[in-house]
Amino acid sequence: MAIGAIDTLSIPEPPHIGLDDSVIYNPPPATRSDSKATHGGTMRVTLNGKPDEIDEGATVADLLARLKLEPIRVAVEINEDIVPRKTFSNKRIQDGDRIEVVTFVGGG
């Protein structure tokens, strides 16, 4: 894989290889104790193609913390719109959002 290539995490399930050789991140099911956001109920979202639940009022930063991902190493797309990294902490996720999290990997 070339330096600067885009790839996604694959934990805990085996990876699903995409058409462009990317690996889709398969997040573990959410639990209330996983998230730092405690604004009320939960919302249903699609995270990298799989149903998931997150706390109401959660931000992209909250989601990345739950997934134990460093913001500097990922790109996030919500409903096919790229979320600028500088807005991760104030970009609220909405019920029904389709979220894609992509990690960057290098290699030679």
Side-chain angles (χ1 to χ4, degrees), residues 10-72:
S10 176
I11 34 183
E13 297 178 15
H16 302 280
I17 305 299
L19 295 177
D20 61 354
D21 293 331
S22 64
V23 181
I24 299 172
Y25 171 69
N26 295 311
T31 62
R32 291 281 294 157
S33 62
D34 284 344
S35 178
K36 296 183 190 242
T38 55
H39 303 282
T42 58
M43 301 180 294
R44 292 178 188 219
V45 298
T46 301
L47 179 56
N48 289 351
K50 294 191 172 207
D52 202 347
E53 288 187 359
I54 60 173
D55 287 325
E56 249 180 59
T59 64
V60 170
D62 295 329
L63 174 63
L64 295 177
R66 188 192 92 191
L67 298 173
K68 297 178 176 55
L69 295 173
E70 293 182 43
I72 195 72

Side-chain angles (χ1 to χ4, degrees), residues 60 63-64 74-78 81-84 88 99-102:
V60 170
L63 174 63
L64 295 177
V74 300
V76 178
E77 181 182 276
I78 297 179
D81 291 323
I82 294 175
V83 179
F88 283 0
I99 305 163
E100 298 291 327
V101 178
V102 180

Side-chain angles (χ1 to χ4, degrees), residues 79-98:
N79 302 324
E80 300 183 8
D81 291 323
I82 294 175
V83 179
R85 187 172 290 114
K86 65 183 176 185
T87 67
F88 283 0
S89 62
N90 59 9
K91 174 64 176 169
R92 297 231 182 260
I93 297 170
Q94 304 296 315
D95 190 48
D97 278 349
R98 294 178 326 277

